[in-house]
Amino acid sequence: MSLKPRLVDFNSTWGAIKETITGVITLDHVPRTVWNDRFSDVYSLCVAHPEPLADRLYAETKQYLIDHVAHLLEKVQADGDHCLIKNYFHYWSQYSVGSQYLHSLYLYLNQQHIKSHKMSDAEIIYGNGEPSNSSATDQMEIGELALQVWQTNMIWPLGHRLVKLLLEAIDLDRAGKPPAIHLDAVRGTILSLVEVQAYRKKSQLQLYAELFEGPFLDASGEHFKRDAALLLQEKNVSLYMDKVKGKIDEELYRARRFLHASSLSKVTSRCEQHMVAEHLQFLYSECTNMVKYEKKKDLANMYELLKSVTDALVVLVDTVFDHIKNQGLAAIHNLQGDTLHIQFVENLLAVYKKYKELIKEVFKSDQNFMGALDKACNSVINHRPNEGRSPCRSPELLAKYCDALLKKSSKGISETEVDEKLSESIIIFKYIDDKDIFQKFYSRSLAKRLIHQQTQSMDAEEAMINRLKQACGYEFTSKLHRMFTDMSVSADLNNKFQEFTKSEEIELGINFGIYVLQAGAWPLGQAVVTPFALPQQLEKSVQMFETFYHNRFNGRKLTWLHHLCQAELKLGYLKKPYVVTVQTFQMAILLLFEKTDQLSCKEIRETLQLNSEQFKRHAVSLVDSKLLLANAEEIDETETVLRLNMDYLNKRTKFRITAAIQKEAPHEVEQTINSVEEDRKMYLQAAIVRIMKSRKVLKHNLLIQEVYAQSKVSFAPSVPLIKKCIESLIDKQYIERTPHSSEEYSYVA
Amino acid sequence: AINRFYQPSRRATSRSAPTMGVSDSKPSDLKVNGLFEHYKDDQEDAILAEGIDQFCKDLTILPDDFKILILAWKLNAEQMCRFSRAEFVNGLKSIKCDSIKSIQSRLPELVQEVEESDELYKDLYRFAFKFGLDIQIGQRILPTSMAIVLWKLVFTIREPPILNRWLNFLETHPLIRGIPKDTWNMFLNFSDHVGSDLSCYDDNEAWPSLFDDFVEFENDQANQNISKDLDKECDEFLIKDG
């Protein structure tokens, strides 16, 4: 065989080809040799001499296909409607495969003749291909041609009848009745609508969508509506949701069996629209009860269903928010007793954990519900009782809770447990608006723990402060850090002082240890320093220390906070020696009895220059402990005479006299809150100046926003407070209103 | 000799002043200084309370008249009850006056000018605050009582509809420690902005917080009035029933 173009007789060659393609398209047996001959025939027609006969071959082939499909159409319809789908599917299966073989047979025509006439992809996209008027541009590759002929000559005339029958078949399936047509035929017929356009470069699904999918979805919609109406008659939301969920699953399964994959989401959304979105009020009607009684299964169903409908979740989210808030408020309502702070924090944590777990389980930790939990916790924790007139106690109670855990006295719980509880308390802490108030209370209790050596573990203390730092930043805990630094610096200082006394050969006569604390970092007001004449046993030590200290740090002022100090005394006048730990003032009183066994209160007070309140408290504590005896029931600060109890007896040889415990008086709490108020003003003014300094000119509202954003970390400032601070800065001429606008400020350098 | 000429009996002055004022447009240094000498204090080189009192009498204007405020503003007086020589002499020359008579005829014109010009009025208004401060004790905030007096005075013209309610608010709230400059200045904007209707007031805007308090107070009052009226109605019913 030669590949050279030669003279070909079209009619005889075409006759041979025609005979063969009939076999090909009907999947009849075609011997290999015949196939090969026809393959070359196509070639020789395409390259025929003197004129290529490709166009003629194309036209004849097309006509052949049209005739063939017309013939098939008759066959498909031959057995009436009930066999229509079956027949259609049968011939389609044959034709679609046959047309692919045909495509291969015409390989040369496809590749050399048609493709060369076609615009390349690039030309189509960039649009520089001149629209050619040659007939070849309309020509398709033979495979495509075959499909297009099918579409035009089979599907167009038959389409609507087919679809009607298909929908009936699906309805039958929905009703759960045995199929009248084999399901493969239904599925194959439906998918033929996609396959027949598979050669297209775009909108391959157009025919499928228009001819079948649209009517299918409409019909399904009607079906869903009817179904919903039927289910609604039960008037049971829980049951309804169960059924709808089942329905959606079932429809999805059906869609997977029959439809193109692109239809799945459309089916579900139709179903949701008619069965969920159109009956929201019905679903909402049970919302409150389901949330109130925390019916997890129902809520999970409700979530699943509402999730898919735009904005439908809001009502459920709000209901959940209200519920958590009410539960939270109930959990901290009317708490009483000494363990108030523990109940408060642990009840709140219980509520928090419970609902976090519930949201995780039921609502898949959906952001909307997590947001509701946050909002609810926030409003519970910052709730002000008495319709907002009483201050919020959360900062104070939480600080107390931490104190109780960090104090030595917390017996019976292990270190890991303490650590766990402290780290959980941060959960509550994060919701607190007035973090600065918490900081005030916390630093006060920390100071007490450090000074009175009541700290359980320094590691635990540090860990807690690091947690606070993590939550609020360095600035928030800087004072707390400085308190720790002071403690370690003081330890060092004590060592140096001892070396100093040794090298100078000074005998102090007592063991003497001090803490030097920076006034700014510790919440120890100097106002509480009361007059006190130092016992002479202490004088030397105090003097020596002051000398020592001023030599090292010239110009620093030391203030002695005697009321925070303690001493150990050895009692040598009793049958047994005792070691007793007392506070400075108690010690001073006891020391006066070194030379005498009996003193009047008047004498004691004059010697020590204690004010009456201090004296009374400490004298009473000594009499209560029976170390001293009074000659009257009620101690009078002038007349009563105190004498040493020489018969004192105690089972323990080492003990501590606690002075009448200084309760945290209510005015102390108030003071703390007031001092916070002042701090806030300073903080806000500093923030305003900082912002104005960098921005130079700023509008009122923007300034307020920025100040708010900056201070949010430690407290939520009120707008009137910010305004007052702005005013006072205008007054102090740090900032001024710009000349052209009273809504705008500028920084005064 | 000049002194003697300008310092006849007071009655003589009031009679002789007009004759001097008739002269012409250019105010004479000599006359203005002479006028100053006439009212000046014995010790200080300034006209003090007594002198001003007399000055006002000669002008036949009461010392608390709006025109005196205008005059003080034109003289750019640093404080109340005191005109320094520089203030008095330069000030009078700037308004082209050198006699009681010429001042008397010039003042109504000045009032007219201020009445007509927003800018001039604003300048006068802001001057009033500074004028009211007692600089001897380094005052920077106007005591409320003084502020009330000055507000009444400065609003002799262009009285805003809100003024009486505002002054009433100040009078009934003794805890207000005083009026800072910004609040004083902004009151002019405020009264302009609200007119007689406080409903357009928005405390999110950059108003000094005293206005927030004022509006809140007024709104509370309004609400109370409603409930009071209701109470009254109830009382009436009760009476009828009885």
Side-chain angles (χ1 to χ4, degrees):
Chain A
M1 188 191 124
S2 160
L3 292 178
K4 261 178 86 180
R6 59 194 163 91
L7 209 66
V8 191
D9 173 23
F10 182 83
N11 286 335
S12 68
T13 317
W14 167 245
I17 294 177
K18 193 171 167 184
E19 193 180 312
T20 308
I21 60 176
T22 309
V24 171
I25 203 88
T26 53
L27 303 182
D28 212 354
H29 177 71
V30 179
R32 170 64 69 183
T33 46
V34 176
W35 174 275
N36 284 347
D37 287 349
R38 293 301 87 76
F39 195 83
S40 348
D41 284 345
V42 170
Y43 168 77
S44 47
L45 283 177
C46 287
V47 298
H49 188 71
E51 213 168 281
L53 298 165
D55 287 342
R56 204 165 153 201
L57 173 63
Y58 182 84
E60 289 291 349
T61 309
K62 184 173 179 183
Q63 191 51 54
Y64 170 78
L65 287 171
I66 291 172
D67 293 345
H68 177 66
V69 171
H71 174 61
L72 291 182
L73 179 62
E74 272 171 34
K75 281 185 164 180
V76 166
Q77 299 182 84
D79 304 323
D81 269 2
H82 66 280
C83 285
L84 196 68
I85 288 180
K86 188 175 142 238
N87 287 344
Y88 172 90
F89 178 61
H90 172 74
Y91 287 112
W92 163 249
S93 305
Q94 188 191 62
Y95 183 84
S96 62
V97 176
S99 64
Q100 279 170 32
Y101 290 131
L102 196 66
H103 187 71
S104 314
L105 187 66
Y106 278 70
L107 187 70
Y108 187 81
L109 181 85
N110 288 337
Q111 296 211 324
Q112 300 306 314
H113 183 71
I114 295 169
K115 274 217 177 131
S116 64
H117 287 288
K118 266 197 175 162
M119 288 188 285
S120 74
D121 285 351
E123 280 168 332
I124 294 169
I125 292 165
Y126 298 111
N128 55 359
E130 287 291 312
S132 157
N133 45 12
S134 124
S135 63
T137 48
D138 301 333
Q139 293 177 357
M140 306 162 124
E141 290 179 36
I142 295 304
E144 296 175 17
L145 177 70
L147 292 176
Q148 207 229 10
V149 168
W150 181 271
Q151 185 183 330
T152 323
N153 298 288
M154 177 68 81
I155 296 179
W156 283 357
L158 217 51
H160 292 290
R161 275 167 69 198
L162 275 177
V163 169
K164 187 169 159 283
L165 291 168
L166 289 170
L167 293 181
E168 281 170 14
I170 291 176
D171 264 348
L172 216 56
D173 186 64
R174 274 199 180 115
K177 290 183 186 142
I181 317 162
H182 200 276
L183 292 182
D184 283 345
V186 176
R187 176 184 168 81
T189 305
I190 292 172
L191 290 184
S192 76
L193 301 178
V194 181
E195 285 157 13
V196 84
Q197 294 203 325
Y199 60 87
R200 283 208 186 185
K201 286 209 165 57
K202 49 183 180 181
S203 46
Q204 293 170 333
L205 295 174
Q206 194 185 0
L207 179 70
Y208 168 75
E210 282 171 8
L211 190 63
F212 173 74
E213 196 188 42
F216 167 76
L217 288 176
D218 288 343
S220 303
E222 288 307 316
H223 169 77
F224 297 146
K225 276 188 207 167
R226 279 195 305 274
D227 242 26
L230 217 61
L231 288 174
L232 282 171
Q233 286 173 358
E234 305 264 359
K235 297 198 191 313
N236 181 330
V237 176
S238 172
L239 195 72
Y240 180 81
M241 291 193 303
D242 249 0
K243 289 268 170 67
V244 170
K245 264 195 77 183
K247 183 79 196 166
I248 292 176
D249 288 345
E250 186 192 314
E251 282 300 319
L252 263 179
Y253 174 65
R254 182 166 293 117
R256 260 189 222 106
R257 276 190 303 154
F258 292 128
L259 309 184
H260 188 254
S262 66
S263 299
L264 297 188
S265 61
K266 292 178 195 166
V267 172
T268 7
S269 84
R270 268 300 165 108
C271 193
E272 282 158 357
Q273 183 197 333
H274 295 303
M275 305 196 83
V276 181
E278 284 171 8
H279 303 290
L280 286 180
Q281 290 319 316
F282 171 67
L283 292 173
Y284 291 157
S285 67
E286 274 298 304
C287 210
T288 318
N289 274 332
M290 285 176 183
V291 172
K292 192 170 159 197
Y293 299 111
E294 294 169 16
K295 295 182 180 168
K296 290 187 183 170
K297 182 169 161 275
D298 287 339
L299 288 174
N301 281 347
M302 179 88 85
Y303 170 69
E304 282 297 319
L305 294 181
L306 295 182
K307 185 176 64 169
S308 47
V309 181
T310 324
D311 294 335
L313 271 182
V314 181
V315 173
L316 183 58
V317 171
D318 287 351
T319 315
V320 169
F321 163 75
D322 285 338
H323 180 64
I324 301 178
K325 188 177 163 187
N326 290 336
Q327 293 294 309
L329 288 175
I332 56 169
H333 183 62
N334 267 343
L335 295 181
Q336 268 159 1
D338 286 345
T339 56
L340 170 69
H341 50 285
I342 297 174
Q343 293 175 50
F344 177 82
V345 174
E346 293 187 347
N347 290 2
L348 277 178
L349 277 173
V351 170
Y352 171 83
K353 284 190 212 160
K354 177 179 171 192
Y355 289 103
K356 192 176 175 195
E357 194 49 44
L358 185 112
I359 288 170
K360 189 174 150 200
E361 187 190 330
V362 175
F363 304 127
K364 312 262 186 316
S365 292
D366 184 301
Q367 277 312 304
N368 291 305
F369 292 93
M370 293 306 275
L373 174 66
D374 281 344
K375 223 172 95 191
C377 288
N378 204 315
S379 67
V380 169
I381 290 174
N382 296 300
H383 176 70
R384 290 159 154 261
N386 275 339
E387 289 161 21
R389 279 192 294 271
S390 307
C392 168
R393 290 192 68 193
S394 307
E396 179 200 342
L397 294 174
L398 184 63
K400 259 189 161 172
Y401 179 76
C402 297
D403 184 47
L405 287 171
L406 289 163
K407 244 190 202 159
K408 256 182 192 157
S409 58
S410 61
K411 281 171 204 146
I413 46 174
S414 69
E415 219 165 287
T416 37
E417 243 178 301
V418 169
D419 196 59
E420 221 166 82
K421 281 173 184 251
L422 285 172
S423 95
E424 280 183 351
S425 68
I426 292 290
I427 296 172
I428 308 286
F429 172 73
K430 282 185 179 160
Y431 289 113
I432 287 182
D433 277 346
D434 299 328
K435 295 195 174 65
D436 53 346
I437 296 182
F438 169 83
Q439 188 218 37
K440 274 267 147 69
F441 281 107
Y442 189 89
S443 75
R444 282 168 55 136
S445 58
L446 173 62
K448 279 185 191 158
R449 289 198 300 276
L450 291 177
I451 292 172
H452 300 307
Q453 287 144 6
Q454 284 175 319
T455 289
Q456 176 93 334
S457 127
M458 274 316 237
D459 287 348
E461 293 279 3
E462 298 250 12
M464 186 59 193
I465 291 191
N466 282 334
R467 286 191 196 104
L468 294 174
K469 186 159 88 179
Q470 229 166 34
C472 268
Y474 171 75
E475 210 185 326
F476 187 78
T477 52
S478 69
K479 278 188 180 178
L480 307 179
H481 275 297
R482 274 161 70 196
M483 285 160 72
F484 280 109
T485 321
D486 281 355
M487 295 312 277
S488 56
V489 168
S490 294
D492 192 40
L493 209 58
N494 276 319
N495 289 336
K496 295 227 167 83
F497 178 58
Q498 269 172 11
E499 282 166 27
F500 166 78
T501 50
K502 230 181 233 168
S503 65
E504 301 278 311
E505 295 183 2
I506 301 164
E507 197 51 58
L508 295 176
I510 55 169
N511 280 330
F512 185 69
I514 40 77
Y515 291 127
V516 177
L517 313 175
Q518 304 173 60
W522 293 72
L524 310 165
Q526 292 194 8
V528 288
V529 175
T530 50
F532 175 55
L534 215 53
Q536 47 108 9
Q537 290 90 333
L538 264 181
E539 250 168 43
K540 193 173 176 191
S541 306
V542 167
Q543 263 172 22
M544 286 326 295
F545 185 79
E546 283 188 343
T547 323
F548 161 79
Y549 192 78
H550 287 136
N551 279 342
R552 301 190 136 246
F553 308 101
N554 198 12
R556 288 200 194 165
K557 190 174 163 244
L558 285 177
T559 306
W560 293 88
L561 302 176
H562 292 297
H563 62 286
L564 296 174
C565 301
Q566 59 181 32
E568 271 183 11
L569 292 178
K570 241 183 227 167
L571 308 181
Y573 57 90
L574 297 164
K575 284 177 193 139
K576 274 198 287 184
Y578 292 97
V579 176
V580 52
T581 308
V582 290
Q583 297 182 344
T584 313
F585 298 149
Q586 293 168 329
M587 172 202 70
I589 296 171
L590 286 175
L591 284 176
L592 294 178
F593 289 88
E594 282 233 286
K595 300 208 170 70
T596 172
D597 290 347
Q598 183 163 317
L599 281 168
S600 76
C601 288
K602 190 165 178 250
E603 284 173 286
I604 297 175
R605 273 197 62 202
E606 275 170 5
T607 321
L608 298 177
Q609 290 172 22
L610 284 173
N611 70 21
S612 76
E613 186 213 347
Q614 293 279 18
F615 170 76
K616 213 162 181 179
R617 216 175 61 215
H618 292 100
V620 166
S621 71
L622 290 171
V623 171
D624 284 352
S625 74
K626 303 217 163 58
L627 279 172
L628 295 179
L629 300 172
N631 66 350
E633 281 281 303
E634 190 80 6
I635 291 180
D636 182 274
E637 43 186 279
T638 49
E639 280 165 25
T640 310
V641 175
L642 299 175
R643 79 193 144 79
L644 217 47
N645 179 5
M646 303 303 283
D647 300 324
Y648 182 80
L649 210 63
N650 194 331
K651 265 185 256 171
R652 306 167 68 163
T653 53
K654 205 171 173 190
F655 57 96
R656 168 188 293 269
I657 308 245
T658 40
I661 309 155
Q662 251 178 302
K663 280 233 167 170
E664 184 112 326
H667 73 264
E668 233 176 310
V669 172
E670 210 173 282
Q671 256 176 17
T672 308
I673 289 170
N674 283 344
S675 76
V676 165
E677 200 62 21
E678 278 309 304
D679 286 355
R680 284 183 179 184
K681 277 186 197 155
M682 297 306 293
Y683 182 97
L684 289 177
Q685 291 191 7
I688 295 169
V689 170
R690 256 197 326 270
I691 293 165
M692 290 308 297
K693 196 171 177 180
S694 71
R695 300 295 210 90
K696 300 296 178 235
V697 173
L698 201 60
K699 286 242 184 300
H700 174 78
N701 286 332
L702 293 176
L703 179 59
I704 299 258
Q705 275 169 27
E706 281 216 28
V707 172
Y708 190 86
Q710 285 201 9
S711 45
K712 208 173 49 190
V713 202
S714 62
F715 64 100
S718 68
V719 174
L721 186 65
I722 302 178
K723 266 176 104 167
K724 287 224 165 69
C725 291
I726 292 176
E727 267 166 57
S728 89
L729 287 172
I730 292 180
D731 208 36
K732 292 183 203 157
Q733 296 179 335
Y734 280 96
I735 55 176
E736 62 187 13
R737 290 181 200 267
T738 54
H740 50 276
S741 165
S742 53
E743 280 284 311
E744 198 176 62
Y745 308 109
S746 65
Y747 180 68
V748 181
Chain B
I2 291 170
N3 267 2
R4 281 201 61 174
F5 180 75
Y6 284 111
Q7 258 182 352
S9 73
R10 263 155 200 160
R11 189 183 280 180
T13 318
S14 45
R15 234 189 278 129
S16 58
T19 49
M20 293 187 299
V22 193
S23 53
D24 58 28
S25 58
K26 265 272 180 188
S28 103
D29 257 9
L30 211 63
K31 284 186 187 169
V32 176
N33 272 304
L35 211 53
F36 178 78
E37 293 291 342
H38 177 64
Y39 295 111
K40 151 180 142 53
D41 186 69
D42 293 342
Q43 266 91 48
E44 264 189 89
D45 195 27
I47 301 174
L48 300 185
E50 212 177 308
I52 290 174
D53 215 33
Q54 189 55 45
F55 183 47
C56 292
K57 270 189 193 142
D58 293 344
L59 287 169
T60 58
I61 299 173
L62 289 172
D64 60 357
D65 193 291
F66 179 62
K67 293 200 191 86
I68 296 301
L69 181 66
I70 293 274
L71 190 64
W73 169 55
K74 280 295 172 190
L75 299 187
N76 199 14
E78 203 170 35
Q79 60 183 109
M80 277 184 172
C81 302
R82 182 193 166 93
F83 294 135
S84 74
R85 182 185 289 270
E87 285 167 4
F88 191 83
V89 172
N90 298 337
L92 282 191
K93 282 201 286 192
S94 77
I95 57 168
K96 301 193 170 68
C97 291
D98 56 9
S99 65
I100 294 294
K101 184 76 191 274
S102 57
I103 297 170
Q104 273 175 328
S105 63
R106 186 82 175 99
L107 281 177
E109 292 170 28
L110 291 173
V111 172
Q112 189 65 26
E113 278 174 24
V114 175
E115 183 113 41
E116 280 160 10
S117 159
D118 288 348
E119 274 311 302
L120 284 178
Y121 185 76
K122 187 169 150 191
D123 195 54
L124 168 73
Y125 178 84
R126 294 193 164 199
F127 164 81
F129 179 81
K130 199 187 69 170
F131 186 58
L133 291 179
D134 188 342
I135 57 167
Q136 309 244 288
I137 56 165
Q139 227 171 34
R140 290 184 42 227
I141 289 176
L142 208 55
T144 312
S145 56
M146 175 59 87
I148 291 174
V149 171
L150 277 171
W151 259 314
K152 282 180 182 158
L153 182 59
V154 78
F155 284 124
T156 305
I157 60 169
R158 293 171 164 250
E159 182 183 324
I162 203 72
L163 183 69
N164 282 328
R165 286 154 79 184
W166 168 247
L167 296 180
N168 171 54
F169 166 72
L170 294 178
E171 278 159 358
T172 50
H173 288 73
L175 283 180
I176 298 167
R177 66 192 176 115
I179 306 298
K181 185 172 163 191
D182 186 57
T183 307
W184 175 273
N185 288 347
M186 290 302 289
F187 181 74
L188 194 58
N189 301 35
F190 170 73
S191 60
D192 235 29
H193 178 76
V194 297
S196 60
D197 177 19
L198 292 175
S199 64
C200 63
Y201 182 80
D202 179 0
D203 60 9
N204 284 320
E205 288 169 19
W207 299 114
S209 55
L210 193 56
F211 301 161
D212 296 350
D213 300 342
F214 167 59
V215 173
E216 199 189 325
F217 170 76
E218 284 289 316
N219 289 340
D220 285 357
Q221 290 287 100
N223 291 340
Q224 261 172 28
N225 280 346
I226 292 169
S227 51
K228 263 184 205 158
D229 287 350
L230 281 178
D231 285 349
K232 248 185 233 161
E233 275 175 38
C234 292
D235 284 348
E236 280 168 11
F237 281 128
L238 280 178
I239 292 162
K240 275 173 200 161
D241 279 346

